[in-house]
Amino acid sequence: QLGLGQLQVDENGCTEFNVLISKDGKHGPTADDYIRLNVKVRKHLEDILQYLSTMYEIAVFTAGEMNYADTILDFMDGDRVIIKHRLYRQHCMQPAKGIYVKDIRVIADRDPKDIVLVDNSLVSFVKLQRNLKSSKKMPMTVRFVITNFNCLS
């Protein structure tokens, strides 16, 4: 279903590798059945996640497909000790073709005021902002951290 390419470290200390994932989630007989994607893991990311996991419960909510996301997350935390929960594209809303929005209402067993979202896309927060204005269950104290991950290296 997937495979990791050779690991390389770039001039900024970021680990880079290629991920080979199947187009349909099944093993295909030819190279045309797969997509090769480049992944860059920022320097110190694992250290930061390890440190934060001592104080917080960490979950990843990605608009990525499960087989792609799991390949990367398993590379960073194969034993699932740091990242306790994973939510994927199928947990997102799709208001338009190719647009995936994270709606934290799918996290029913956590108080929204205790959730911190970190994302590089403002689109991820559109539905949440509307929900906060219209729902008494979603207090305005939900905190947002919007960052461009390219600036973290």
Side-chain angles (χ1 to χ4, degrees), residues 100-119:
Y100 297 92
V101 177
K102 297 162 189 141
D103 184 353
I104 65 167
R105 291 180 299 175
V106 301
I107 308 170
D109 62 343
R110 301 294 188 276
D111 191 333
K113 73 175 178 51
D114 295 329
I115 296 174
V116 177
L117 298 176
V118 180
D119 206 303

Side-chain angles (χ1 to χ4, degrees), residues 30-70:
T30 69
D32 291 338
D33 296 319
Y34 295 90
I35 301 169
R36 182 176 307 279
L37 302 169
N38 187 55
V39 176
K40 183 181 277 195
V41 179
R42 300 292 179 194
K43 185 177 181 179
H44 304 298
L45 176 63
E46 292 176 59
D47 297 332
I48 291 167
L49 288 174
Q50 178 66 46
Y51 175 73
L52 291 173
S53 72
T54 65
M55 297 177 287
Y56 304 101
E57 177 182 26
I58 297 178
V60 169
F61 195 163
T62 178
E65 293 182 10
M66 185 185 296
N67 61 346
Y68 170 69
D70 278 345

